[in-house]
Amino acid sequence: MSTLSLLHIPAKQSWQSQLQSAYRSPEALASALGLRISELPYSTVGAQQFPLLVPQAYVERMEPGDPNDPLLRQVLATLDEEQLADGFSKDPVGETSLYAKDPGLLQKYRGRALLIATSQCAINCRYCFRRHYPYEDNRNSSSQRKKLLSELLDDRSLREILLSGGDPLVLPDHQFADISAQIADRRPDVILRVHTRLPIVIPDRVTDEFLKAIDTPGGTVVVVHGNHPREIDDATANALKRLADSGLTVLNQSVLLAGINDNAQTLAELSDRLFAAGALPYYLHMLDPVQGASHFDVSEAQARRIAGELATLRPGYLVPRLVREVPGAGSKQQLLPAYPTER
């Protein structure tokens, strides 16, 4: 746990203010951690392509003076991003062909529809599979989103609406209330699923107003995104507990990242902290092969061994499913763990 007093966030600072004051300067971030950007393998090319964005609340969990801190490595552009690796592209999961019909709408799987609610995030993760996504061509206003949602709810085969982004939790609470009310009025049987990293990086985002706005009769699932146990500090755990205590289903998905969490013991500790906070491990994703992130890649053979070892360390409900996104497939593809031959 970092003890950087200079990074202390005042208790009364709103989540909006925290987002607005997030670090965007690599020099300032390095200085706050007692490092010099000139001594780090920092890439200006990578930063120009995908700028730094990281809130103070997340930086507080980084270890001062450690250039290899697993949280720092998730947000700071490095020279490794300039590598051009075979099989890594700007459209790693084949979304280009899916958003041509309706801006901001992706329908990959039967019975589900995903709305790109916003292009904005609270943190720019270097491995993000949408780091090259053409958000400018897929914007929709709240009124356009309402119209699109109405058309989707006319489809009786639809079982679930997903909100993604960017990060949908950067939207104001009243827009969530509008979406929830629209679903409740038209299709109370439809599940609302929200994919977000905000409760992890700015725990104060989980407010009373948000918890009221997100409630739907068919059930609301909040899928958070934590990769490393150090991301789950007391404030984050409290935010997750508030989500769970309000009756929401809270799940976590992680990305398997070389040098960050490619270790069964690390993943076991992450599962422990999540479960204690009321969130269940859900998916452990293989890295989507997005251009600029090949240095985070873990081979399938190694991933299966890690998943197998994790299964020996924790009971099944604390072992996330190892999955891969395959463009054009009807669902995520589960990879079977390679279990150790001996205890």
Side-chain angles (χ1 to χ4, degrees), residues 75-95:
V75 300
L76 187 68
T78 65
L79 295 173
D80 290 329
E81 293 190 24
E82 300 178 22
Q83 300 174 5
L84 294 179
D86 291 340
F88 284 73
S89 72
K90 293 184 177 181
D91 185 22
V93 296
E95 290 185 336

Side-chain angles (χ1 to χ4, degrees), residues 45-62:
V45 173
Q48 289 171 355
Q49 294 175 347
F50 194 46
L52 174 75
L53 176 65
V54 55
Q56 293 181 2
Y58 191 79
V59 176
E60 284 189 321
R61 294 166 241 171
M62 297 177 185

Side-chain angles (χ1 to χ4, degrees), residues 18 57 61 198-207 233 235-237 239:
Q18 293 181 47
R61 294 166 241 171
L198 249 162
I200 301 291
V201 299
I202 304 181
D204 288 336
R205 176 61 184 96
V206 182
T207 62
D233 63 355
T236 305

Side-chain angles (χ1 to χ4, degrees), residues 10 24 64 72 180 226 309 325:
R24 290 172 171 81
L72 176 62
S180 299
E309 184 180 353
E325 183 94 8

Side-chain angles (χ1 to χ4, degrees), residues 44-261:
T44 55
V45 173
Q48 289 171 355
Q49 294 175 347
F50 194 46
L52 174 75
L53 176 65
V54 55
Q56 293 181 2
Y58 191 79
V59 176
E60 284 189 321
R61 294 166 241 171
M62 297 177 185
E63 187 64 35
D66 183 3
N68 295 311
D69 180 88
L71 277 59
L72 176 62
R73 291 194 65 227
Q74 292 183 57
V75 300
L76 187 68
T78 65
L79 295 173
D80 290 329
E81 293 190 24
E82 300 178 22
Q83 300 174 5
L84 294 179
D86 291 340
F88 284 73
S89 72
K90 293 184 177 181
D91 185 22
V93 296
E95 290 185 336
T96 303
S97 62
L98 297 175
Y99 57 64
K101 181 181 177 183
D102 292 296
L105 172 64
L106 297 173
Q107 288 188 280
K108 299 181 183 181
Y109 307 135
R110 185 178 303 173
R112 285 161 278 180
L114 184 149
L115 296 176
I116 301 293
T118 177
S119 62
Q120 188 178 359
C121 277
I123 187 170
N124 283 347
C125 303
R126 307 313 303 174
Y127 53 85
C128 179
F129 73 102
R130 288 199 182 116
R131 58 183 288 171
H132 304 288
Y133 186 81
Y135 287 107
E136 291 297 325
D137 300 329
N138 287 275
R139 291 184 180 276
N140 51 42
S141 64
S142 58
S143 60
Q144 290 172 323
R145 186 166 55 247
K146 183 176 181 179
K147 181 177 182 293
L148 182 56
L149 181 56
S150 179
E151 294 172 354
L152 289 171
L153 294 175
D154 285 334
D155 180 0
R156 302 307 299 185
S157 70
L158 191 73
R159 295 279 302 141
E160 190 176 30
I161 294 289
L162 286 74
L163 298 182
S164 184
D167 195 313
L169 261 68
V170 302
L171 296 178
D173 292 333
H174 71 84
Q175 291 194 26
F176 276 103
D178 290 344
I179 292 170
S180 299
Q182 192 174 357
I183 293 174
D185 180 59
R186 295 284 305 282
R187 289 287 304 279
D189 59 313
V190 165
I191 297 168
L192 176 63
R193 186 177 359 148
V194 182
H195 284 246
T196 177
R197 191 139 158 78
L198 249 162
I200 301 291
V201 299
I202 304 181
D204 288 336
R205 176 61 184 96
V206 182
T207 62
D208 292 340
E209 293 75 17
F210 171 73
L211 293 175
K212 294 176 183 177
I214 201 67
D215 188 34
T216 59
T220 301
V221 179
V222 178
V223 183
V224 297
H225 176 186
N227 294 319
H228 193 277
R230 289 231 321 266
E231 293 179 335
I232 316 300
D233 63 355
D234 290 344
T236 305
N238 182 61
L240 298 179
K241 287 177 182 176
R242 295 194 68 201
L243 291 169
D245 290 347
S246 69
L248 306 179
T249 299
V250 186
L251 307 174
N252 182 75
Q253 59 181 5
S254 305
V255 179
L256 189 60
L257 301 166
I260 292 175
N261 62 4

